Amino acid sequence: MTSAAPHQPILDKPFVLDLFAGPGGLDVAGHALDIPSLGIEWDRSACLTRYAAGLDTLHADVSAVRRDAFESLPPEINVLAGGPPCQTYSVAGKGAGRKALEEVKEYIERLMAGHSDEAIDRSLKKLSDPRTAMVLEPLRYAIQATRSPNRQKRPYDVIVLEQVPAVEALWHHYAKVLKETGLPDGTKYEVVVDVLDTETYGVPQTRSRAVLIARREGLGQPSLPAPTHRAYEAKEWNRRAVQAASRIHQPTLDAPDTSGVTDTAPGIDDKGLRPWTSMGEALADPVGTHPGRRTPFLVRSNYGSSGIPGRRGVRTDRQPAATVTGRISRFVVFEHLNESVVREGARFSMNEAGMLQSFPPDYPWSGTAQAQQVGNAVPPVFGAHLLSAALGLPAPDPEVLRKPWQSATEEQRAKLRSHGCGAADTCTARCPRPERQTPVRSSSRPRVDASKQPEANGTDSLRRISPRSSGL
């Protein structure tokens, strides 16, 4: 359900708590909307990116903060947001979460009935993959807010969640209990849930996300953000590509040359929708340190798009990218030299990969596993649309996110890391252990990130954390 009603902000001073914050997609969206945020992120490299970007960050485990440091969170936070880890729910994963959907729904019922955290935690240990339980954390935070003396037991006003499409069933169950049952203190919400395609909001890639937007009763019925761009129709594009290939020499790739193919409906249509944003449009112009990509190109990915294996293959610069994941660094880019010859060119830089996720140019990707950071992030343009719809704000101006990002100064970065890690230039005992930074891959040896970090987990020291907006 989308709405064309006049925009009316529902909160005077929104302040977002971003769970599983990653490198900052939702926080960058908040920055574009002048909305402050605090992110909680456990991965050291993602936190390094956030510090370099100037984003308020707590380097910690989301569950540990809820258990041990909730009272230190800023009491003025009134918007809860997040995208829990999706590996076990993703079509690309082994599917432990999909198999446990009904079991997780039972945990939701138990939480809403007021069962103790200790009893819930004991039961959750039985799950085959502990990441599956992370999808419960937003609900547990919402409940904890109503029990917090520091917040005067005030519930969050707005909740915004996004995940892979396979989680839609759980979001619908969230919606049911938030609206009908209410939190244990009786707080109820008006909720809307759906699966949205990011290219319909101007993100230059096809990516589908299950979205939940909730408003506390009395703040009005929420609505989904209205699309601003047309959906990418793969079948129509491929049909025209085949027709073009019958007229143009076939290049040495597993896809037809589409240099003669143009958008079927250029310009704004009768519904006010613009054409979807292509890779070429996103990357063509020089901006910041990005030199621009003016030469027509093809991109070959080695996996499906939006969870649909049939979409794998080659796309041109006139199409949106396939879903950007941690494999973006494996995308092979081929440049057109003329109508019949292509050559393999340079692969996308991390700056370009971020731009395909709609991050601003020159976003300061830092640490290791940068491609994974890019792929795991919420596309900022999409996030800005979600926050705007949730808070009753006008649709965001995408041009704000096309400008080069101004990174934090060394002094600002040191101040942010002192808040987030406990020291200006290193992690401390309260940060998550290094061996837990990157989940072990089933087909390879464990990857150890940040081997110089302290070994102690230090959950007790979380009680001393006082994350506050730095005002940078």
Side-chain angles (χ1 to χ4, degrees):
M1 176 180 62
T2 59
S3 173
H7 297 285
Q8 182 63 45
I10 64 169
L11 299 177
D12 291 334
K13 296 181 179 180
F15 188 167
V16 178
L17 177 62
D18 185 10
L19 307 180
F20 313 101
L26 201 63
D27 306 78
V28 171
H31 176 84
L33 300 171
D34 292 323
I35 297 173
S37 64
L38 169 67
I40 303 177
E41 174 55 40
W42 79 301
D43 181 74
R44 175 181 179 271
S45 290
C47 286
L48 292 178
T49 295
R50 294 177 60 87
Y51 297 144
L55 302 177
D56 278 342
T57 304
L58 180 58
H59 183 194
D61 181 276
V62 165
S63 299
V65 173
R66 173 180 52 78
R67 289 192 305 265
D68 304 317
F70 193 92
E71 292 305 297
S72 70
L73 297 176
E76 60 268 31
I77 288 172
N78 50 14
V79 179
L80 179 68
C86 69
Q87 290 91 337
T88 62
Y89 295 93
S90 173
V91 172
K94 291 187 176 181
R98 297 194 302 277
K99 296 175 184 177
L101 282 175
E102 293 305 316
E103 188 174 4
V104 173
K105 288 180 182 179
E106 292 179 9
Y107 284 113
I108 291 175
E109 298 286 353
R110 291 178 60 184
L111 285 168
M112 299 301 268
H115 288 208
S116 71
D117 284 336
E118 293 77 11
I120 294 292
D121 288 338
R122 285 195 298 269
S123 297
L124 287 173
K125 291 180 180 179
K126 300 176 184 177
L127 292 174
S128 59
D129 190 324
R131 294 175 299 180
T132 302
M134 292 293 99
V135 77
L136 296 171
E137 282 298 333
L139 183 57
R140 301 184 83 171
Y141 266 74
I143 294 171
Q144 189 69 21
T146 66
R147 299 169 175 168
S148 168
N150 189 41
R151 294 180 55 84
Q152 299 181 337
K153 300 184 179 181
R154 189 178 72 255
Y156 296 119
D157 293 315
V158 174
I159 301 173
V160 180
L161 305 175
E162 65 88 40
Q163 249 283 9
V164 293
V167 180
E168 182 187 11
L170 283 184
W171 286 167
H172 277 294
H173 201 67
Y174 256 63
K176 180 177 183 295
V177 296
L178 286 171
K179 184 173 183 177
E180 298 178 6
T181 307
L183 301 178
D185 75 329
T187 300
K188 294 184 178 181
Y189 291 81
E190 297 293 338
V191 192
V192 62
V193 174
D194 205 350
V195 174
L196 305 179
D197 297 322
T198 61
E199 82 270 15
T200 63
Y201 300 95
V203 179
Q205 65 168 297
T206 51
R207 185 187 193 99
S208 299
R209 304 301 286 180
V211 169
L212 177 149
I213 297 177
R215 290 181 183 174
R216 185 171 51 79
E217 273 190 344
L219 294 176
Q221 177 67 40
S223 60
L224 297 167
T228 54
H229 293 66
R230 292 193 289 278
Y232 170 68
E233 299 290 345
K235 289 183 179 180
E236 175 61 19
W237 178 272
N238 290 336
R239 180 185 66 79
R240 291 183 289 115
V242 170
Q243 291 175 348
S246 66
R247 303 188 302 271
I248 302 172
H249 179 75
Q250 180 84 1
T252 56
L253 285 175
D254 298 329
D257 182 350
T258 55
S259 58
V261 179
T262 58
D263 190 5
T264 53
I268 299 176
D269 66 14
D270 56 3
K271 296 181 180 179
L273 300 178
R274 286 167 268 177
W276 33 257
T277 304
S278 68
M279 290 183 283
E281 182 181 351
L283 302 179
D285 295 332
V287 56
T289 60
H290 172 60
R293 276 187 180 266
R294 290 290 187 179
T295 303
F297 59 87
L298 306 174
V299 180
R300 182 163 59 199
S301 63
N302 61 350
Y303 64 97
S305 173
S306 299
I308 303 175
R311 292 185 184 176
R312 67 175 52 138
V314 176
R315 293 193 182 183
T316 78
D317 60 294
R318 300 183 185 184
Q319 297 167 271
T323 304
V324 174
T325 71
R327 297 181 182 180
I328 182 65
S329 59
R330 303 182 193 178
F331 280 23
V332 182
V333 181
F334 297 87
E335 295 179 340
H336 271 287
L337 299 182
N338 54 49
E339 287 187 350
S340 61
V341 179
V342 295
R343 72 175 180 186
E344 182 174 346
R347 300 196 179 194
F348 290 131
S349 67
M350 282 302 102
N351 192 17
E352 290 177 317
M355 292 167 70
L356 292 178
Q357 270 276 59
S358 75
F359 275 87
D362 291 345
Y363 195 70
W365 303 102
S366 305
T368 60
Q370 292 180 17
Q372 196 68 43
Q373 292 183 51
V374 173
N376 287 345
V378 176
V381 165
F382 183 59
H385 278 278
L386 293 181
L387 289 176
S388 295
L391 298 171
L393 303 175
D397 178 7
E399 294 304 314
V400 173
L401 293 170
R402 292 178 183 266
K403 299 177 182 178
W405 186 264
Q406 297 298 313
S407 298
T409 65
E410 284 300 312
E411 181 181 359
Q412 291 170 335
R413 184 204 59 78
K415 184 176 180 181
L416 287 166
R417 195 167 189 186
S418 293
H419 289 164
C421 289
D425 58 356
T426 187
C427 287
T428 66
R430 78 185 189 196
C431 298
R433 292 180 180 178
E435 66 268 21
R436 299 180 60 195
Q437 291 300 294
T438 304
V440 177
R441 292 181 175 181
S442 59
S443 59
S444 64
R445 292 176 296 175
R447 293 185 298 168
V448 178
D449 185 14
S451 59
K452 295 182 180 181
Q453 277 186 255
E455 292 296 320
N457 193 27
T459 54
D460 287 343
S461 64
L462 284 169
R463 296 186 179 90
R464 298 192 295 272
I465 296 172
S466 182
R468 290 288 190 271
S469 177
S470 64
L472 299 178

